[in-house]
Amino acid sequence: MVRKHNNQLPENLPQLQNLIKKDPQSYHEEFVQQYQHFQNTIEVFQLAPNQPNKTLDELVMFMAQVAQCYPKDLQDLPQQVINIMQKHNTVLDNSVRMNLCKALILLRNKNLLAPTDLLELFFQLLRCQDKSLRQFLENHIITDIKNLNMKHKNAKLNTTLQNFMFTMLNDTNSRAAKMSVNIMIELYKKNVWNNAKTVNVIATGCFSKITKVMVASLKFFLGKDPEEKDSDNSDSDDEVDPKEVMLANKFNKKTRKREKNLSKVKKLAAKAYKKKSQAPTFNFSAIHLLHDPQGMAEKLFRQLESTNQRFEVKLMTLDVISRLIGLHNLFVFNYYSYIQRFLQPHQHEVTRILQFAAQSSHELVPPDVIEPVLKTIANNFITERNSSDVMAIGLNAVREICARCPLSLSEELLRDLAQYKTYRDRSVMMAAKSLIQLFRNLRPELLHKKDRGRPTEATGEIEKIDYGKVNVKDYVPGAEVLLNEEKDNEEFEVNSESDSDDEQWVNVQHSNDEEIDSGEEEEDDSDEEMDDDVEKDHETSERNILKAKKTKKEDLEAKKSLARKVTVDRILTDEDFKRIDMANVRKHLQGPNKGQKRSIELENTLKNKDDLVKLGDIENIYKKRKHDKQTRVESVRKGQEDREKFGYKDGRVNIHCSKTNREKSKKKNFQMIRHKVQGKVKRSFKDKQIALRNHLIKLKKMK
């Protein structure tokens, strides 16, 4: 006889949990019964902690769900679960360990457990061989700290957690140290811990003995994704088209291996799509928050000289050092001699090394230190024994270095490099012209007179560059344009209001009327006065040159005083700065006489000096790009226009006359002319001999 279960509460934990949350007092007895069962289950479980226990999983989650209903009865529950985890953390079954962690997180969300106690336990659990658990714990720690600082930042708690992270960063366990770095980097990217203390703690990871920690810290300062990718995934796997694999799997025989490959390709395709859709993240501001950039650069360089790491890790270190030197104007003179040994065309990643050389250049570096680097680039790259691409890259690297340290290039070397402006290859020619254009705006006196170009309004304002000289101005250069625009607007309004024709006429008089009159009188004189006229003309030309120099200086001083007046008298807006920038650009294009403009693009005339060198600026090679299939087809179609139809050309003068049998056979069915084609098969040499003999015998008989 089957017994009916009228009361199923002791066995149905979800139903009991729901009822307890509604009315805790009414179901206290049932709770006490389950709590005793939970304690007994723990005692049995500790006898064999490595075995899975489904009953314990259900009971511990039940206790965590109703913990806020009976705080006095369950006040020791968090510590009891923590003790089990600390005692058997590496021995526990994966499912049991995961459920215990979820129960602790549930208690933490109900504020029944301190965050520092839970963090300490979770970092100890990183020694377990369970990758899914480690990922789960990392996501929880990041989310928990983010939620703690959602409304307002808890400075005291953040300081405690950051100190704990710092101690875990120096932990001997590689997984714990790597996880602490990842958490701090992720919190910095989420603008939770974006202060200087976090950045300087991550900076200590650059000197860690654990390679993964060091690489993650270096990538953080390079602005890349700190998450380490699997090195086993080759480039060919990422380029596999998922549609082709799915189509092949649809028609081929279905096997486990093909299904596994299909799932792998789908994951790679989803990963690539997600990577393309995400916006790039840059952490260049983190370098500005370092307390001691000079000490960090020197320490990194000493570590680089004595390290045995892979070449990729050395490149990361070189990149970080170059950014530190360029952004903070540091002095690490041995860095340039170290990087000089890698400046060879056959060197792996040589364009990135040239980028590092340019990034580490700034105006305060002595020219004698960078000059050997430029000579090495010129000797190894800019020679006719190399290809045109190598020469162009070398010229681009010299240009980027000189843009940041213009005193490092000597006059002799600059004039030698400027001669490549007439090189036969376009890429080398354009690279040499860009170098010439740079020195036209910085140090035109080093160029040959024919390479300085037509003088512009901006060339008169170029000041001589001296080492260590700081050009500080108390005004915004070019601000006088705002006054000129106001005057032009006022004149336009006055002219539009005046309707009379008299005001529109302006009498123009010659400034040299006296010279013209005197010239008319001198035409009647004799040739004896020619020598006196030559002497007078020479004197007047010298006076005109002196007057022109004085007027140029006076104009510059007048413009400076107007710009200083505008800067002091008014508050400049964004629109005003845009007008000033456009006016400064026009100075580079406009000659000293208004209306004479040079046909040079704005992008090439003025090149803004960025803090970091772009790799594309060095690898920028001017070449005719290859067309894709669509553009090639369009060009072919365009070339076929107005052209006779290709194919067999009919040689008849009159198209209405008959054709030959040979022409007609081209349109006949092959079955009709097959018997004729068979006779045209190539004969052997013996058959030709027999045919020739029969022909000669036939000729003799005819005679």
Side-chain angles (χ1 to χ4, degrees), residues 110-124:
K110 295 178 180 181
N111 294 326
L112 300 175
L113 184 62
T116 52
D117 298 338
L118 192 61
L119 278 178
E120 186 176 356
L121 173 65
F122 281 176
F123 274 99
Q124 291 178 4

Side-chain angles (χ1 to χ4, degrees), residues 222 224 312 315-316 319 339 348-359 615 618-619:
L222 296 179
K224 297 180 181 178
E312 291 80 5
L315 281 180
M316 291 181 192
D319 197 357
I339 208 172
H348 182 58
E349 298 285 352
V350 68
T351 54
R352 290 189 61 193
I353 297 173
L354 291 170
Q355 180 190 12
F356 304 157
Q359 279 180 171
L615 189 61
I618 295 177
E619 294 179 348

Side-chain angles (χ1 to χ4, degrees), residues 130-180:
D130 191 355
K131 187 175 181 180
S132 60
L133 176 69
R134 294 196 298 269
Q135 188 67 34
F136 174 75
L137 298 179
E138 182 178 351
N139 293 334
H140 164 70
I141 293 171
I142 294 172
T143 307
D144 190 21
I145 297 175
K146 183 180 177 182
N147 293 333
L148 288 172
N149 295 273
M150 184 70 71
K151 295 181 180 179
H152 59 86
K153 292 190 177 182
N154 192 343
K156 185 177 180 181
L157 181 61
N158 287 336
T159 304
T160 306
L161 294 176
Q162 286 174 351
N163 293 334
F164 180 74
M165 292 284 186
F166 180 70
T167 56
M168 294 305 300
L169 189 63
N170 299 325
D171 195 80
T172 55
N173 190 350
S174 61
R175 292 193 185 96
K178 179 66 166 53
M179 182 176 173
S180 62

